[in-house]
Amino acid sequence: MNPEAREQELMAQAESVLDRAIQLGADDAEVSLSSGQEFSCVYRGESLDKLEEAGNQGIGLRLFVDGRVVSGSSSDLRSPVLDRLMRDLIDAAPHVDPDEHHTLAPTQALDGQVKDMGIFDPATVTEEAPERLQRALDAERSVRAFDTRISATDGASFGAAYSTSVTAASNGLRRAVTGGWQSLVADAICNDEEGKKRNGYFWSTARRLADLKTANEVGEEAARRALSRLGAQKPATGRYPVVFSREAAPALIGLLVGCTTATSIWRQRTYLADRLRTAIASSAVTLIDDPLLPGLLGSSSVDGEGRSRRRNVLVKEGELMMFLAAQYGANRTGIEPTASASRPMASQPGEGTTNLYMAPGDQSPEQLIADIDEGIFVEGTIGFGFNSLTGDFSRGAFGRMIRAGQLAEPIAEFTVSANFDELFGGIDAVGNDLIWDRKTACPTLRVRSMAVGGSG
């Protein structure tokens, strides 16, 4: 695939649809087109359980008619079908309530230049199916061969996808992006003495195929994690120092940043609405969203509305520095847009993060644990359990006890609870193990004290 030629082809098609929308009566219009391909396979034992490969294409429309906005989408890109869709949308517009806040970004704000951010690897397209199947099979074999106590698996899977997306709008926006990724996942199952099944999973995801972990690494780590949970019991209910692993911690900062958007303010769904330029966390906490880091899963140079992406510091040494805002949220709240617009196919762009992370500290995870006499090490959380209006947090979790500064026996079926002011205010140390294996990354972090619900 030639990305540049594909982008030009799709952009010409989008511009043609845009012109037609204006001819049919739209005052303003926005057209998004996407085309790509996906591959996925799953092995269970020596059997190929699933194999899928499919191309995909779609178009999304936002039409502005007499102060009203209507939107629609289609996977059929034939001209008569799109004509009918646009006519139907325009006919429906009078039945939609007007909303003065629905606007395209001002033309003068469209300063974004698409740059090569290293998010497309030709190998994502050129690698043949046999190599992909073998990778999944090898991961599955690695799980089963690791230890005789592995009784089953939930399969090992490999997936790859690439797509080209373009947007053309009547305000002058022209945006084209081609990207891809691949992932390898393994899941191991073993039974403890009580007959309970213990799962362990591990995965690797990367923009570049060469950056993907090997099948043996993924399979063996999944098996190792399952075995480490054998015999897990509930910890005693109480208050403990709690250390969140680098895999459990991203969920916390994702929830927090979800409360720092213009949308959360105008919808009155955030406990941080009146907290700008105040301390919302300890001085150990700095949160940054940086789309300009090359080659990562969230990297991009232009946001969904055409603005040049930038590095945004949301929390600096515990102080809330800003709220993220796309155009609609900016119109509703008066907050200046922050080049953080995330683009859905056929509805208004909203605020989204790119490469979101907590700035690392200078201690290893082992050092964070070393001075804890008795505590909890959280390896993962389960469920939802967060109230964005109050900041109250409570989730199921699994992990290990910390005893005398060392990881000890496995624990499961317990809850960790705190208000986010207490939780983030209680972070007294952040690890140095920041690893970019997802869009939201966080080092291991330590919370001074949290309520833990277990046995007794």
Side-chain angles (χ1 to χ4, degrees), residues 189-273:
I189 301 172
C190 53
N191 300 324
D192 62 20
E193 293 180 356
E194 298 175 352
K196 290 185 178 179
K197 295 187 181 297
R198 303 297 182 184
N199 285 66
Y201 67 93
F202 189 60
W203 77 96
S204 176
T205 303
R207 290 286 193 184
R208 295 178 65 248
L209 182 61
D211 293 336
L212 205 64
K213 292 185 181 299
T214 68
N216 284 342
E217 288 176 308
V218 172
E220 290 180 0
E221 182 60 22
R224 191 177 294 112
R225 293 184 179 197
L227 294 170
S228 73
R229 291 166 190 161
L230 285 173
Q233 301 293 324
K234 294 181 180 181
T237 296
R239 294 194 69 86
Y240 299 87
V242 176
V243 177
F244 287 87
S245 73
R246 69 166 195 87
E247 292 182 347
L252 301 177
I253 65 174
L255 291 172
L256 179 68
V257 172
C259 295
T260 65
T261 67
T263 296
S264 69
I265 292 176
W266 70 259
R267 288 182 173 171
Q268 300 182 347
R269 293 180 180 175
T270 174
Y271 75 104
L272 297 175

Side-chain angles (χ1 to χ4, degrees), residues 376-398:
I376 303 290
F377 182 73
V378 174
E379 295 176 323
T381 59
I382 303 167
F384 301 96
F386 177 64
N387 186 330
S388 62
L389 283 173
T390 64
D392 291 331
F393 170 86
S394 181
R395 278 191 175 179
F398 58 89

Side-chain angles (χ1 to χ4, degrees), residues 166-441:
V166 304
T167 302
S170 54
N171 62 347
L173 172 62
R174 298 295 185 270
R175 177 180 183 267
V177 178
T178 297
W181 56 265
Q182 36 268 307
S183 67
L184 182 62
V185 183
D187 193 314
I189 301 172
C190 53
N191 300 324
D192 62 20
E193 293 180 356
E194 298 175 352
K196 290 185 178 179
K197 295 187 181 297
R198 303 297 182 184
N199 285 66
Y201 67 93
F202 189 60
W203 77 96
S204 176
T205 303
R207 290 286 193 184
R208 295 178 65 248
L209 182 61
D211 293 336
L212 205 64
K213 292 185 181 299
T214 68
N216 284 342
E217 288 176 308
V218 172
E220 290 180 0
E221 182 60 22
R224 191 177 294 112
R225 293 184 179 197
L227 294 170
S228 73
R229 291 166 190 161
L230 285 173
Q233 301 293 324
K234 294 181 180 181
T237 296
R239 294 194 69 86
Y240 299 87
V242 176
V243 177
F244 287 87
S245 73
R246 69 166 195 87
E247 292 182 347
L252 301 177
I253 65 174
L255 291 172
L256 179 68
V257 172
C259 295
T260 65
T261 67
T263 296
S264 69
I265 292 176
W266 70 259
R267 288 182 173 171
Q268 300 182 347
R269 293 180 180 175
T270 174
Y271 75 104
L272 297 175
D274 300 318
R275 303 281 293 277
L276 190 64
R277 295 290 181 173
T278 68
I280 65 167
S282 77
S283 60
V285 175
T286 293
L287 297 179
I288 300 167
D289 187 49
D290 192 348
L292 304 180
L293 297 172
L296 301 182
L297 294 172
S299 303
S300 66
S301 61
V302 183
D303 83 340
E305 293 177 320
R307 294 180 171 87
S308 290
R309 291 281 197 185
R310 69 192 197 196
R311 181 177 183 265
N312 286 319
V313 179
L314 288 86
V315 178
K316 183 178 181 180
E317 296 179 353
E319 182 180 342
L320 178 61
M321 305 300 293
M322 62 184 297
F323 288 91
L324 300 176
Q327 188 65 52
Y328 185 81
N331 292 345
R332 292 290 302 248
T333 63
I335 298 172
E336 286 296 316
T338 56
S340 304
S342 176
R343 171 161 298 286
M345 177 61 77
S347 58
Q348 70 186 30
E351 298 85 18
T353 57
T354 57
N355 300 312
L356 173 66
Y357 68 101
M358 181 180 290
D362 56 7
Q363 298 183 68
S364 68
E366 292 77 16
Q367 289 174 311
L368 267 58
I369 293 168
D371 59 356
I372 297 176
D373 182 51
E374 184 180 48
I376 303 290
F377 182 73
V378 174
E379 295 176 323
T381 59
I382 303 167
F384 301 96
F386 177 64
N387 186 330
S388 62
L389 283 173
T390 64
D392 291 331
F393 170 86
S394 181
R395 278 191 175 179
F398 58 89
R400 304 186 78 84
M401 288 298 299
I402 301 172
R403 300 193 187 280
Q406 299 289 329
L407 294 182
E409 72 272 17
I411 51 177
E413 300 176 21
F414 63 95
T415 60
V416 286
S417 303
N419 183 272
F420 259 24
D421 280 335
E422 176 190 10
L423 192 159
F424 279 93
I427 294 175
D428 60 3
V430 178
N432 60 6
D433 56 333
L434 179 68
I435 298 175
W436 284 108
D437 56 0
R438 63 196 82 193
K439 286 181 62 176
T440 299

